[in-house]
Amino acid sequence: MATTATRLIFASCLFLAAVVQARPLSPLIVNPNNHHSYLLLNAATWKDSEAEAVALGGHLATIRNRSEEDWIFKTFGGYGGNQHLLWIGLSDTAKKFHFSWSSGESVSYADWAPGEPNNVGNAEDFVAIYYPNHDQRNKWNDWNDRVSDPIGLPMNGVVEIIPSETTNAGSVTNIANNLVAVEINPTLIINNDSGSIKLQWPISATNYLLEATTNLSQPFTMFGYSETTNTDLGIYSVIITNPAPQMFFRLLKP
């Protein structure tokens, strides 16, 4: 017959065995469209997955547009021949239904499943993409902090690591260290209009990409936006309706 001490030790071992830590499941894979590196973590909670992403030099993935979403889903949704729900870096832990990216980037794109987010049980703070065989595949849902969904499919974090150096369309001098202003060529015009930001640049720069950051000590990255074209004036225009309190922009030649 086991003693009380033996039973307590056995119970402690069972508890430790149940703790799941996030670890890389895939190698780094580069998205050829934005040149960011991604990898898939094993099944773990959103919080543990984000902590591992930070330890690896990134965050859970920020999704800025449809192209990035589709690439992440196709690359990792069925990774290894298995179905995965994909944790991304979106959460509303600070204020309900005010979602923000763990990377600090402005939220300018979303792809919620119908009726989502709904915060069932007042406890769904974290966002994952549905798996390929779900009838809402590639759509987003809010979840509580969990390791698997109700039918037992794993919740796997997608880590995004952004290269520390990119090539600017103009010239940059010691931005990270001294916060020196960026000289942008071609001209990028930025206006603040009733709480929105309006950006314009010449049609002649049709092959340039617009990037932003909220902190000049952090890399510039792509984000979701829609262009309008005025051929008479020869300009592209973009309006950002939900800007961060501070944003810096640049045009990047691929």
Side-chain angles (χ1 to χ4, degrees):
M1 178 177 179
T3 65
T4 300
T6 302
R7 287 195 296 270
L8 288 174
I9 292 172
F10 180 66
S12 297
C13 290
L14 286 179
F15 174 77
L16 291 172
V19 174
V20 178
Q21 293 183 322
R23 291 290 183 267
L25 183 63
S26 76
L28 283 173
I29 302 173
V30 176
N31 181 339
N33 298 315
N34 63 12
H35 307 293
H36 298 178
S37 296
Y38 297 79
L39 60 83
L40 188 69
L41 299 176
N42 67 327
T45 65
W46 188 97
K47 291 179 180 178
D48 285 346
S49 299
E50 171 63 14
E52 178 66 10
V54 172
L56 291 168
H59 289 281
L60 287 177
T62 297
I63 297 180
R64 305 164 188 85
N65 50 56
R66 169 69 67 179
S67 175
E68 288 188 353
E69 177 183 19
D70 288 345
W71 185 89
I72 287 171
F73 178 74
K74 291 176 182 177
T75 303
F76 298 113
Y79 185 82
N82 299 311
Q83 298 285 304
H84 303 277
L85 292 98
L86 304 175
W87 285 130
I88 56 177
L90 201 62
S91 68
D92 67 346
T93 53
K95 186 178 180 181
K96 279 298 174 190
F97 298 113
H98 288 255
F99 287 89
S100 60
W101 293 110
S102 56
S103 65
E105 294 183 38
S106 176
V107 178
S108 54
Y109 174 82
D111 192 17
W112 296 104
E116 304 296 343
N118 58 10
N119 192 35
V120 169
N122 197 36
E124 295 188 328
D125 296 326
F126 310 101
V127 178
I129 302 174
Y130 277 123
Y131 51 92
N133 287 347
H134 195 279
D135 60 2
Q136 293 298 326
R137 67 184 65 85
N138 206 14
K139 296 292 185 180
W140 305 2
N141 184 27
D142 55 338
W143 299 86
N144 60 356
D145 206 16
R146 59 199 298 152
V147 176
S148 61
D149 79 339
I151 64 172
L153 291 178
M155 314 285 289
N156 301 81
V158 177
V159 178
E160 177 183 15
I161 300 173
I162 300 174
S164 58
E165 295 183 1
T166 54
T167 302
N168 185 36
S171 61
V172 182
T173 305
N174 296 327
I175 289 179
N177 296 325
N178 299 322
L179 305 186
V180 174
V182 182
E183 177 188 347
I184 298 175
N185 182 23
T187 302
L188 175 63
I189 301 171
I190 306 172
N191 294 306
N192 190 335
D193 183 13
S194 301
S196 299
I197 295 176
K198 185 175 182 179
L199 303 103
Q200 296 177 315
W201 65 93
I203 288 179
S204 59
T206 183
N207 59 329
Y208 285 72
L209 299 175
L210 179 64
E211 296 189 327
T213 183
T214 57
N215 186 330
L216 285 178
S217 66
Q218 301 296 320
F220 281 80
T221 59
M222 294 193 306
F223 62 101
Y225 62 87
S226 297
E227 299 172 2
T228 58
T229 305
N230 188 321
T231 53
D232 293 334
L233 296 178
I235 58 171
Y236 288 121
S237 295
V238 171
I239 296 178
I240 301 173
T241 58
N242 58 341
Q246 174 177 270
M247 296 185 75
F248 302 88
F249 299 91
R250 75 177 184 184
L251 290 172
L252 175 73
K253 188 172 184 179

